[in-house]
Amino acid sequence: MTEGYIKFQCNWVQKEIRIQEELFQALEQERSQLFKLGLIGMYPDGIGYGNISVKSAENKTFIITGSATGQYAHLKQSHFASVSGYNFEENSVTCEGMTRASAESLTHAAVYEALPEVGAVVHVHCLWLWEKLLNNYPTTSEEIEYGTPEMAYAVKNLSCSLAPKQKKVIVMGGHREGILAFGRNLKEATSTIINLFNQNKND
Ligand SMILES: [Zn+2]
């Protein structure tokens, strides 16, 4: 275990949340595209991977697919969590919903904090694409593991350093298969990663 590693803490209030119908449909539609390509899913050992989030217009909160939802082709409202607070240093999030937010919601928070214009973040897993993009796109250090405060800080720093016209993609060097893509809205975030997937698959 890395020195100084702080275990992820989820302050979860288990209660029903209601996502506005139009937003829910958009989340469902974009996520199902990622699911079909295997960018979000479940490994044979039953562990889910990948998540998608959208920032609320009014404040710093965001809605994210909950933990252990990777296996479903289609999601219900109860599969989402609303993140209302977080602390990188303490490696903690505060969330509500019938499903809790995973440790990866901190990486989403890091992108939102760095770039106020970003409205949606997707985190996918894809080994061959990850290997192709590794160090060809902004990449976090291989030393930095998933679910650590260091990952949140590294993603925040890399997000800040992106040039306005640069593709909004970050490769998580120490989180094998992990890639982040983001954009002003859900569609932009999803198409960024799907375009990369399609452009690279035939090479
Ligand atoms: Zn991941």
Side-chain angles (χ1 to χ4, degrees), residues 2 10 15 31 45 51 70 85 107 151 160-161 169 177 180:
T2 318
C10 184
K15 63 177 253 194
R31 182 192 171 278
D45 64 0
N51 33 55
T107 4
M151 181 64 91
C160 286
S161 70
V169 171
E177 302 199 16
L180 289 163

Side-chain angles (χ1 to χ4, degrees), residues 49-51 104 123-125 146 172 175-179:
Y49 61 84
N51 33 55
E104 284 181 329
H123 167 58
V124 301
H125 281 206
Y146 144 88
M172 299 161 92
H175 179 39
R176 196 171 153 83
E177 302 199 16
I179 306 166

Side-chain angles (χ1 to χ4, degrees), residues 31 35 40-42 46-49 67-75:
R31 182 192 171 278
F35 183 87
I40 286 178
M42 189 177 80
I47 305 286
Y49 61 84
S67 63
T69 58
Q71 72 265 44
Y72 304 114
H74 297 286
L75 297 188

Side-chain angles (χ1 to χ4, degrees), residues 9 19-21 28 37 91 96-97 117 125 139-141 159 163 179 181 190 192-193:
Q9 193 192 322
I19 307 165
Q20 189 228 346
E21 192 55 30
E28 169 58 17
L37 295 173
N91 203 10
E96 288 184 349
E117 70 273 23
H125 281 206
T139 301
T140 59
S141 159
S159 302
I179 306 166
T190 313
T192 297
I193 196 69

Side-chain angles (χ1 to χ4, degrees), residues 83-101:
V83 174
S84 57
Y86 56 85
N87 187 314
F88 295 149
E89 211 174 325
E90 292 170 4
N91 203 10
S92 69
V93 298
T94 302
C95 64
E96 288 184 349
M98 295 309 287
T99 313
R100 62 172 77 215

